[in-house]
Amino acid sequence: MNLVLFGPPAAGKGTQAKRLTAERGYIQLSTGDMLRAARASGSELGQRVAAIMDAGSLVSDAIVIELIEDALAGNKNAPGFIFDGFPRTIAQAEALDALLARHGQAIDVVVRLQVDPEKLIARIAKRFAEEGRADDNPESFRVRLNAYLTQTAPLVAYYEAQGKSRGVDGMSDIESVAAAIAGVLGA
Ligand code: AMP
């Protein structure tokens, strides 16, 4: 089972991906987490993306596609993958389809967390207080939301054309969202 958890920043993708990992053994592939790890390690890649991430803009397609390519190659026997925060552009979605095809696989379903973007500002203020992520400040968050609306939202039509998109109410509590996702995925 390969699934994309789709939605704007702070929609709850990471929280739900971690639950699915714990419950079903799928591997969470979060390009945001990978990039933050690269930064924490002080690698050349980490240094290259730091300012872009802090501003709230997207890093280049080539960088994140390579991260995903390496992760897929390094987890050949995984029971499934949860793509969290990837793909974020049409080019990334096309690259993902091609990469999975090379492994004899495909995206099975895209779970779209439907949220009210204006309410996300309150969520992000809470996460900023708890985790202190530099890009959770209101100014960067506006840029991230805008990047989502202009560059990522077109993926909804991309996956709808493939018949893979399933909407879930992302504004309810964590348990209810998890139950709705389970309903989409089945047993
Ligand atoms: P996230 O944790 O998914 O919100 O990602 C944090 C930041 O990492 C984003 O604001 C981007 O700067 C960068 N990033 C993560 N995933 C991607 C992606 N798929 N494409 C481009 N940039 C990304």
Side-chain angles (χ1 to χ4, degrees):
M1 165 70 76
N2 295 312
L3 92 117
V4 175
L5 271 181
F6 188 85
K13 302 187 294 291
T15 301
Q16 296 298 333
K18 283 183 178 61
R19 284 184 69 115
L20 289 166
T21 298
E23 287 165 10
R24 298 178 183 237
Y26 301 156
I27 305 248
Q28 176 192 9
L29 296 183
S30 157
T31 41
D33 284 352
M34 292 177 205
L35 292 166
R36 279 184 288 279
R39 291 181 63 174
S41 76
S43 69
E44 194 262 328
L45 168 67
Q47 291 172 32
R48 210 155 17 111
V49 297
I52 300 169
M53 290 176 73
D54 287 348
S57 303
L58 296 186
V59 308
S60 77
D61 289 332
I63 287 176
V64 286
I65 289 166
E66 191 176 339
L67 288 173
I68 290 291
E69 191 168 7
D70 291 349
L72 289 177
N75 289 286
K76 285 221 163 72
N77 297 320
F81 291 103
I82 307 162
F83 296 92
D84 161 13
F86 180 94
R88 260 176 156 101
T89 63
I90 296 282
Q92 291 177 26
E94 288 172 348
L96 179 59
D97 283 345
L99 274 177
L100 287 172
R102 226 186 290 156
H103 291 264
Q105 295 190 43
I107 291 295
D108 297 294
V109 64
V110 176
V111 175
R112 195 151 53 89
L113 294 178
Q114 293 168 307
V115 291
D116 176 352
E118 286 308 316
K119 299 223 170 83
L120 296 178
I121 303 282
R123 274 196 194 181
I124 218 69
K126 185 167 171 275
R127 190 165 77 180
F128 188 49
E130 286 168 3
E131 299 175 22
R133 262 178 63 171
D135 61 346
D136 278 346
N137 71 76
E139 199 180 314
S140 298
F141 188 71
R142 286 273 171 207
V143 178
R144 291 163 66 200
L145 211 47
N146 191 47
Y148 170 80
L149 294 172
T150 56
Q151 293 170 271
T152 307
L155 291 180
V156 174
Y158 179 88
Y159 286 117
E160 266 170 10
Q162 294 187 359
K164 292 177 178 169
S165 177
R166 302 283 179 275
V168 159
D169 174 15
M171 290 314 292
S172 49
D173 59 274
I174 290 173
E175 292 302 326
S176 306
V177 177
I181 293 175
V184 168
L185 300 182

